[in-house]
Amino acid sequence: MAEKRDYYEVLGIQKGASEDEIKKAYRKMAKMYHPDLHPDDPEAAEKFKEVNEANDVLSDPQKRQRYDQFGHAGVDPSYGAGAGGGFGGFSGFGGFGDGEGIDLGDIFDSFFGGGMGASRQSSNPNAARRGADCSVNATISFMEACKGTKTDITFSRVEVCDTCNGSGAKPGTAPKTCNECGGTGKIRFNQRTLFGTMASTKACTKCGGRGKIIETPCQTCRGNGRVNKNATVTVNVPAGIDDGQILRVAGQGGIGMNGGQRGDLNVRITVKKDPLFERKGFDVWTEIPITYSQAVLGDEITVPTIDGNVTYTVPAGTQPETIFRLRCKGIQRLQREGRGDQLVKVTLEVPKNLSKKQKDALIAFSDQLTEKNYEKQTGFRDKLKKFTDDLKKNFGM
């Protein structure tokens, strides 16, 4: 069975995290690896499953307590089980009372698939560890979000130190084998128990469990073997990306330790506001002012779309705030086929600062109109008359 990652590491939180911190971390990671953003990425699907599994355990107080005490074996008895199946089968330990040849660390390794779950593995400084994820922000224009774009992202990530090539030792020197543990990174000791004296192991305090000691550290990385460096990565931003969404670029985060894989680069997208367009889902909205005569008589108007300008015929008698729909002129649906629509709301601009001649002409024009030209006004007058009559009849007003 493949080794599982520590659930706290999966969610990017500390072991003592609160319930709110677990919830926030889960929402963030679930959104990051959600299948809708990575429909053809099996690695993202696996990480999404891993995030949900971690949240299922850590959000449940009882499961979390067992996990904190026993690691993965505390919540999944099949984890790390050998041919004996889980915790069953104590045969093979021989005389349990004399304690000869019994190593408590080995017992835990047998029971828990790595010694008290993930804790022993994660405490091993020589174990392969995945690199840290990097998070950056990128700002793009409205049109770039609609059409997709490529953008160069410059950020800082952990890399191998060039001076010492990752050894941590000053050039011309090399790490030496620890004389305390003989290079194993572990110290064996005897411990008295109810079952007698038993042998166990612990990390060597002199070398920190690494088995090597750096006597002359590299001055560049101070013995760490890794340093922060600026990197520039070209990111493909898909058409249809929305403000606040996060793009995951696999394998572009910090370098792993001891042969572990790189972390990921998570790019949070910010989309600038546009002076003409507003986005609602995958639809594009825009407002266009028209004149009184255009509304009354109808006219051809120019409508801007994300594909360029188009001509649209406004029908005669168009009312203010009327909304017209242009099918499939909206935004590309993210990682899917099809586009949204463009909705155009026309607003009536009432003329100001009329001359006397213009006013006289407008009055003459208005005098020629009849009630059938104003259906809404006629309907409103009828409702107002009924309202007034009811007030007089019922309330004497």
Side-chain angles (χ1 to χ4, degrees), residues 120-354:
R120 283 174 63 92
Q121 180 189 9
S122 61
S123 64
N124 179 8
N126 294 319
R129 296 184 185 179
R130 181 178 179 274
D133 290 345
C134 298
S135 298
V136 296
N137 295 320
T139 300
I140 61 176
S141 69
F142 181 88
M143 288 299 296
E144 287 174 328
C146 294
K147 298 295 186 180
T149 187
K150 290 184 178 181
T151 183
D152 290 337
I153 306 293
T154 299
F155 61 102
S156 177
R157 67 184 179 188
V158 175
E159 296 284 6
V160 171
C161 175
D162 291 333
T163 304
C164 65
N165 293 320
S167 71
K170 182 179 179 180
T173 68
K176 294 184 178 181
T177 301
C178 175
N179 57 13
E180 186 75 20
C181 63
T184 63
K186 296 181 179 180
I187 299 296
R188 195 176 183 88
F189 66 99
N190 292 327
Q191 182 177 6
R192 286 187 174 275
T193 72
L194 293 174
F195 307 108
T197 301
M198 293 188 177
S200 188
T201 58
K202 64 179 180 180
C204 176
T205 56
K206 186 173 183 179
C207 65
R210 293 178 175 82
K212 300 285 186 181
I213 294 178
I214 300 174
E215 294 183 337
T216 310
C218 169
Q219 294 183 352
T220 302
C221 64
R222 298 182 180 181
N224 188 38
R226 307 189 306 164
V227 293
N228 286 322
K229 293 182 181 178
N230 284 336
T232 300
V233 174
T234 300
V235 176
N236 291 316
V237 181
I241 195 77
D242 203 355
D243 184 70
Q245 288 187 314
I246 296 175
L247 286 177
R248 183 180 67 89
V249 186
Q252 290 294 343
I255 194 168
M257 293 184 65
N258 305 319
Q261 66 179 359
R262 276 188 177 273
D264 298 332
L265 171 63
N266 300 309
V267 184
R268 184 181 182 86
I269 299 297
T270 298
V271 181
K272 296 179 183 176
K273 291 187 179 298
D274 190 88
L276 285 176
F277 304 115
E278 181 182 354
R279 176 173 181 164
K280 295 182 181 179
F282 292 103
D283 292 337
V284 175
W285 285 69
T286 189
E287 287 190 10
I288 299 180
I290 60 175
T291 66
Y292 177 76
S293 59
Q294 286 177 312
V296 173
L297 303 176
D299 195 8
E300 284 191 348
I301 61 173
T302 299
V303 177
T305 75
I306 61 174
D307 298 321
N309 295 338
V310 298
T311 299
Y312 185 82
T313 301
V314 176
T318 294
Q319 300 299 307
E321 309 296 314
T322 297
I323 296 174
F324 301 108
R325 183 183 295 270
L326 305 180
R327 297 286 181 183
C328 299
K329 287 293 185 180
I331 298 170
Q332 172 68 45
R333 299 186 184 278
L334 189 62
Q335 305 290 0
R336 289 183 290 169
E337 293 184 357
R339 295 172 58 172
D341 301 329
Q342 175 157 343
L343 294 105
V344 183
K345 182 167 75 172
V346 293
T347 59
L348 181 62
E349 184 173 10
V350 178
K352 299 179 180 179
N353 304 318
L354 297 179

Side-chain angles (χ1 to χ4, degrees), residues 34-114:
H34 199 280
D36 286 350
L37 286 176
H38 313 282
D40 300 316
D41 189 342
E43 183 181 353
E46 187 63 30
K47 287 190 176 183
F48 184 71
K49 178 182 177 182
E50 185 182 44
V51 166
N52 279 286
E53 181 179 323
N55 180 67
D56 178 66
V57 171
L58 298 185
S59 62
D60 184 314
Q62 293 183 345
K63 290 183 181 179
R64 183 180 180 184
Q65 183 179 11
R66 295 199 301 271
Y67 177 74
D68 288 345
Q69 186 174 2
F70 300 112
H72 291 290
V75 292
D76 184 3
S78 66
Y79 181 79
F87 293 93
F90 283 90
S91 61
F93 284 99
F96 205 74
D98 57 12
E100 291 297 327
I102 298 176
D103 188 330
L104 290 179
D106 292 338
I107 293 175
F108 284 129
D109 286 346
S110 175
F111 283 176
F112 300 110

